[in-house]
Amino acid sequence: MSHRKVSVLALALAGAVSFTTVGVPATFAVDAGTTTSVSVVSPAAQPNPSGDFEIDKNGVLTAYTGSSTEVTIPDGVTEISTEAFGNAQLTKLWIPASVRVIGDDAFVSQDLKEITFQDDKAHPSQLATIGDRAFQSTSLATITLPGSVVTIGDNAFAGMSRLTSVRLGAKVAAGQLVAAFPGAKALASIEVDANNRNYASVDGVLYTKDHSHLIAYPQAKNKGGSYAVLDGTTDIDDYAFADASVTSVTLPSSLRRIGEYAFESSRLTSLTLPDSFETIGSWAFSYASNLARVDLGGTTTVSDDAFLNDLALTEVNLRPDLGRLEEIGEDTFGGCTNLTSLVVPASVTSVAGVSNTGVDTLELGDRVRKLSIVTRGVRNVRHIVVRGGVNGEFYSEGQASNGRPESAFFGEGMTTFSFWGETPRVVVLPASLTSLELDEDAASDVKANTAIYVVGKEGSQAWKTVKAAMEKAGYATANLKAYSAPTLALSGTGIAEAGAGYALTASLGTSTTVTATATGGTQNVREARFVQVGPGNAETVLQDWSAVTSGVASYAWTPTSADVSLRVDVRDASYALHSTTLRVGTSPAPQPQPQAGEWKQDSRGWWYRNADGSYPKDQAVTIGGTVYRFDASGYMRTGWVKNGGSWYYHTGSGAQASGWTLVGGSWYYLDPSSGAMVTGWTQVGSAWYYLNAAGDMATGWLKDGGSWYYLDPSNGAMVTGWLKVGDSWYYLNPSDGAMATGWLQISGTWYHFSNGGQWIG
């Protein structure tokens, strides 16, 4: 027998080994109120190491070199070090009470089917620490930890495919057990000593003691069934439902965060997040092969790869009505090839996760700070529409599997653009552009057949920047064109302008030919669509997108009730949508009628019970002189709500706002008579203001209809007369606020202004 390193103590204890099974009652009170007896193996005499253990002078077992599958660790060992049994073939193990630490990877991947911890009144276990992956991928079916255990490392019980139950003692410290059980697909129950101050087992599900965090849901529990997360839970931790067999999970209104990999490879079929929810972690719902429908509720951030390769996913509601979503991470919906439609809220500022989906057209609002599209051999969107940005950056890279994109439209506030690989066939760039990079290595047909439109006249700074970039990369500058904003007007018998849209004075049931005339935009094919909007904002497409010639389209509309309207949409080759609405009559839409009843609240939110026991659903109701709106389930809405083609804002109390309203750092003006959000120019008191397409108040320089205007940065009011900005003087026409250029006589004196409006003294 070869010489081995063993401790002096171990050698002194050499002798014959025999085993006696001793039944020791060990009260283990779990939250359900049960007790358990544990059978432990107690050696009648101390084992003979027989040279099979390497134990240092501190009692640390550093290696097992024997060949036995059933091993009794010598008494006196204080620690089992990292990978100490890396070369063993264990099936059965006895651990003495003297062991205080089980190191990282100590028994990883062993075919270990039975483990006994010496833990009785005469020999209370001293085990306090279990290292990372200590029992990972072992074959244990059940495991009961000594009550002395304090810390448990990451993935300590991961990959234990036969594990059905785990019991934890009273001393396990806070901050443990997150991601301790991934891959334990047979796990049906996790129990905790009722005296533990940090954790609780609720029907076999592991929570923190205060129920604020759901740490682990046993993967085999409620197979094919449902589960309701406890009210008051704010966090679902990393890997909590990974590989879980449950198909339906109801989430409480208190939930704010879902951790990384939390539902990875789960069997969920649908997901509805509460309206006050905040963050979805990376990979949280990735590879959830049955997940078909998602409602993101009030989510503000969706992290990278959150829904990666969810092949069944066909419907994602990003909740534009709430206006809370800000960030969509990289590859968020990558591989979701059956997802064909994605309505992105105007609140979103950063997007990187729309490649390799079934989405054809991506439309963003006017607050974009960063948009990134990387398509290295995967599917790309065909059309991109960005209404505007805040010093926004656009980056694209790669060649898509479904061919070259058709169009990209970028509104004002987008400044920096990089196209590497394929450029869309038609690109519209804003006057705010400061930088453009085009790929010098792009294919020759791409360089020859890319039409780039720039907002502003030839010779403007944006024009010069684009032309220089095209020349540097070898693009055909003959395809550089000026772009003017489109206009859309309606005409026909009984049709006249009314506010922001048009009104029809005609008898109900009478057919009226509505003619839509569009001008401006790109010089390519233009399409029109006619949509009827009914009660509850229900839309019916009367005539889908069809090509028009000379910018004119017509449709014979027969309104059957006063509460319907006709929306006319037009788009050119850039796919940027422009719309206007024709309403029946000139009077405002009927206001909600008062109701009598009482407010009620449950775990999901507030609702209103009428005197007859019914409750309002999917409608607006006046209660106590205040307008409230309710969703399809009858719960009170808050935040932005779109109704009948107009946007309304409801405060945290549910009350509809009116007049000037501050939302998310931006000012909006809501019609005092109806509460509808106002866009475009509007006069409030003696001052004029401009509300962007998303409704937020513009400040600073604004270009509209070919003229520049200046809106006071402190309050948004349009400035007239002389104005000094920086070191330059400008003159804004007192009659309409338009910036002067060229020669102009003011109070009998002639002044000369540059094309940029600066006074040339």
Side-chain angles (χ1 to χ4, degrees):
M1 180 178 295
S2 60
H3 177 70
R4 304 291 184 189
K5 288 171 56 184
V6 293
S7 69
V8 174
L9 172 62
L11 288 173
L13 295 175
V17 181
S18 62
F19 298 90
T20 303
T21 301
V22 182
V24 180
T27 56
F28 188 94
V30 295
D31 284 350
T34 62
T35 59
T36 303
S37 293
V38 180
S39 293
V40 300
V41 178
S42 177
Q46 294 298 338
N48 183 347
S50 303
D52 291 341
F53 300 94
E54 295 183 0
I55 304 171
D56 69 15
K57 63 181 180 180
N58 297 315
V60 178
L61 195 162
T62 59
Y64 174 73
T65 57
S67 58
S68 177
T69 61
E70 299 184 7
V71 172
T72 297
I73 293 177
D75 190 14
V77 169
T78 59
E79 179 177 341
I80 301 170
S81 70
T82 300
E83 298 181 344
F85 286 83
N87 296 318
Q89 301 292 326
L90 298 181
T91 60
K92 187 175 181 180
L93 181 67
W94 186 88
I95 298 178
S98 58
V99 172
R100 299 188 180 94
V101 177
I102 296 177
D104 297 348
D105 303 292
F107 306 108
V108 66
S109 299
Q110 293 291 320
D111 191 23
L112 188 60
K113 296 181 175 63
E114 182 180 333
I115 184 170
T116 303
F117 297 94
Q118 185 185 26
D119 187 19
D120 53 49
K121 291 183 178 180
H123 308 88
S125 176
Q126 301 179 52
L127 181 62
T129 301
I130 296 176
D132 296 346
R133 303 168 301 279
F135 295 97
Q136 180 174 309
S137 299
T138 59
S139 300
L140 291 169
T142 63
I143 188 166
T144 298
L145 297 179
S148 55
V149 172
V150 176
T151 60
I152 300 174
D154 293 342
N155 293 293
F157 311 105
M160 296 178 65
S161 60
R162 298 182 183 179
L163 185 66
T164 61
S165 66
V166 174
R167 293 185 174 184
L168 306 172
K171 294 184 179 180
V172 180
Q176 315 294 304
L177 300 168
V178 173
F181 307 99
K185 296 184 179 182
L187 187 61
S189 178
I190 304 170
E191 303 297 340
V192 182
D193 190 306
N195 293 317
N196 192 297
R197 295 182 178 181
N198 303 306
Y199 304 99
S201 174
V202 181
D203 193 25
V205 180
L206 182 63
Y207 286 87
T208 53
K209 194 72 171 183
D210 62 1
H211 299 167
S212 64
H213 286 240
L214 190 159
I215 301 172
Y217 182 89
Q219 294 160 36
K221 182 179 177 63
N222 292 341
K223 185 174 183 180
S226 61
Y227 180 72
V229 177
L230 296 179
D231 287 342
T233 299
T234 60
D235 294 69
I236 294 177
D237 287 335
D238 299 353
Y239 290 93
F241 283 86
D243 287 304
S245 299
V246 66
T247 59
S248 175
V249 176
T250 301
L251 303 173
S253 60
S254 56
L255 191 68
R256 297 294 180 269
R257 184 189 70 90
I258 292 176
E260 296 181 357
Y261 299 91
F263 288 84
E264 182 202 19
S265 300
S266 68
R267 305 299 184 269
L268 280 187
T269 58
S270 66
L271 168 69
T272 300
L273 296 170
D275 287 357
S276 297
F277 186 79
E278 296 175 357
T279 304
I280 298 176
S282 299
W283 303 85
F285 297 91
S286 60
Y287 297 95
S289 58
N290 297 330
L291 187 61
R293 187 190 67 81
V294 169
D295 183 330
L296 287 185
T299 301
T300 59
T301 301
V302 186
S303 302
D304 298 349
D305 306 290
F307 296 93
L308 184 70
N309 288 332
D310 289 350
L311 300 180
L313 191 59
T314 58
E315 179 186 346
V316 176
N317 186 351
L318 301 180
R319 297 300 299 275
D321 57 312
L322 295 179
R324 286 168 53 90
L325 184 63
E326 297 180 359
E327 181 177 352
I328 300 175
E330 185 175 345
D331 239 5
T332 290
F333 298 105
C336 300
T337 52
N338 286 309
L339 180 62
T340 59
S341 176
L342 204 61
V343 178
V344 181
S347 56
V348 170
T349 63
S350 177
V351 179
V354 294
S355 302
N356 199 24
T357 70
V359 175
D360 179 80
T361 301
L362 174 68
E363 183 168 355
L364 305 180
D366 62 355
R367 305 173 193 176
V368 176
R369 296 182 183 274
K370 184 175 182 180
L371 171 60
S372 176
I373 298 179
V374 177
T375 53
R376 302 189 187 104
V378 298
R379 195 183 186 284
N380 194 3
V381 293
R382 307 294 293 156
H383 305 278
I384 304 167
V385 178
V386 180
R387 291 291 178 183
V390 181
N391 196 25
E393 300 179 8
F394 172 77
Y395 178 90
S396 70
E397 176 188 337
Q399 293 183 328
S401 61
N402 59 330
R404 184 182 179 189
E406 292 295 328
S407 67
F409 173 92
F410 300 96
E412 296 302 317
M414 296 295 291
T415 59
T416 306
F417 301 87
S418 300
F419 294 91
W420 300 110
E422 294 177 324
T423 308
R425 299 180 190 278
V426 176
V427 180
V428 177
L429 298 172
S432 55
L433 174 144
T434 59
S435 173
L436 172 64
E437 291 182 302
L438 299 171
D439 193 348
E440 297 180 26
D441 295 325
S444 58
D445 66 317
V446 171
K447 295 181 179 182
N449 297 293
T450 298
I452 300 182
Y453 290 79
V454 179
V455 174
K457 297 180 180 179
E458 181 177 351
S460 65
Q461 186 57 52
W463 178 285
K464 293 177 182 178
T465 300
V466 174
K467 185 176 181 181
M470 294 178 74
E471 290 175 340
K472 179 181 178 182
Y475 279 65
T477 56
N479 294 330
L480 176 59
K481 308 175 187 296
Y483 179 86
S484 59
T487 61
L488 175 60
L490 302 185
S491 60
T493 303
I495 297 175
E497 290 188 39
Y502 293 81
L504 170 64
T505 53
S507 300
L508 295 178
T510 301
S511 178
T512 299
T513 299
V514 181
T515 299
T517 303
T519 61
T522 67
Q523 299 173 4
N524 300 74
V525 175
R526 180 177 284 113
E527 297 177 308
R529 177 177 66 177
F530 294 83
V531 181
Q532 181 169 289
V533 181
N537 206 32
E539 295 186 357
T540 303
V541 177
L542 303 177
Q543 180 177 297
D544 209 349
W545 292 112
S546 56
V548 298
T549 57
S550 302
V552 178
S554 298
Y555 181 79
W557 183 46
T558 305
T560 57
S561 65
D563 57 356
V564 299
S565 60
L566 181 70
R567 192 184 73 234
V568 182
D569 303 327
V570 296
R571 66 188 183 190
D572 57 21
S574 73
Y575 260 50
L577 187 69
H578 300 274
S579 305
T580 192
T581 298
L582 175 63
R583 300 184 186 279
V584 179
T586 57
S587 60
Q591 292 299 303
Q593 296 302 308
Q595 298 287 328
E598 60 180 341
W599 286 103
K600 296 288 185 180
Q601 186 184 33
D602 59 21
S603 60
R604 287 188 57 184
W606 287 95
W607 56 284
Y608 192 78
R609 186 170 67 186
N610 296 322
D612 61 0
S614 65
Y615 55 92
K617 296 188 295 183
D618 202 18
Q619 67 182 105
V621 178
T622 298
I623 303 172
T626 300
V627 177
Y628 298 85
R629 281 181 171 81
F630 299 87
D631 64 20
S633 298
Y635 287 95
M636 183 187 76
R637 303 284 295 272
T638 60
W640 288 107
V641 179
K642 191 173 186 182
N643 186 19
S646 297
W647 285 96
Y648 301 84
Y649 186 78
H650 292 260
T651 65
S653 70
Q656 177 180 288
S658 64
W660 286 112
T661 302
L662 184 64
V663 182
S666 297
W667 283 99
Y668 297 79
Y669 188 72
L670 310 175
D671 190 330
S673 64
S674 66
M677 184 185 77
V678 177
T679 61
W681 288 105
T682 189
Q683 187 175 15
V684 182
S686 60
W688 282 91
Y689 300 85
Y690 188 85
L691 292 313
N692 292 316
D696 54 312
M697 183 184 73
T699 60
W701 287 110
L702 168 75
K703 189 174 186 182
D704 181 55
S707 297
W708 284 96
Y709 302 84
Y710 191 79
L711 306 168
D712 191 329
S714 66
N715 59 22
M718 185 184 75
V719 177
T720 61
W722 285 103
L723 168 71
K724 187 176 184 182
V725 180
D727 295 326
S728 299
W729 282 95
Y730 301 81
Y731 189 78
L732 294 313
N733 193 322
S735 63
D736 62 6
M739 182 186 74
T741 59
W743 287 99
L744 180 68
Q745 189 177 30
I746 304 172
S747 301
T749 302
W750 285 94
Y751 295 86
H752 188 206
F753 300 89
S754 70
N755 289 336
Q758 295 95 341
W759 171 46
I760 302 173

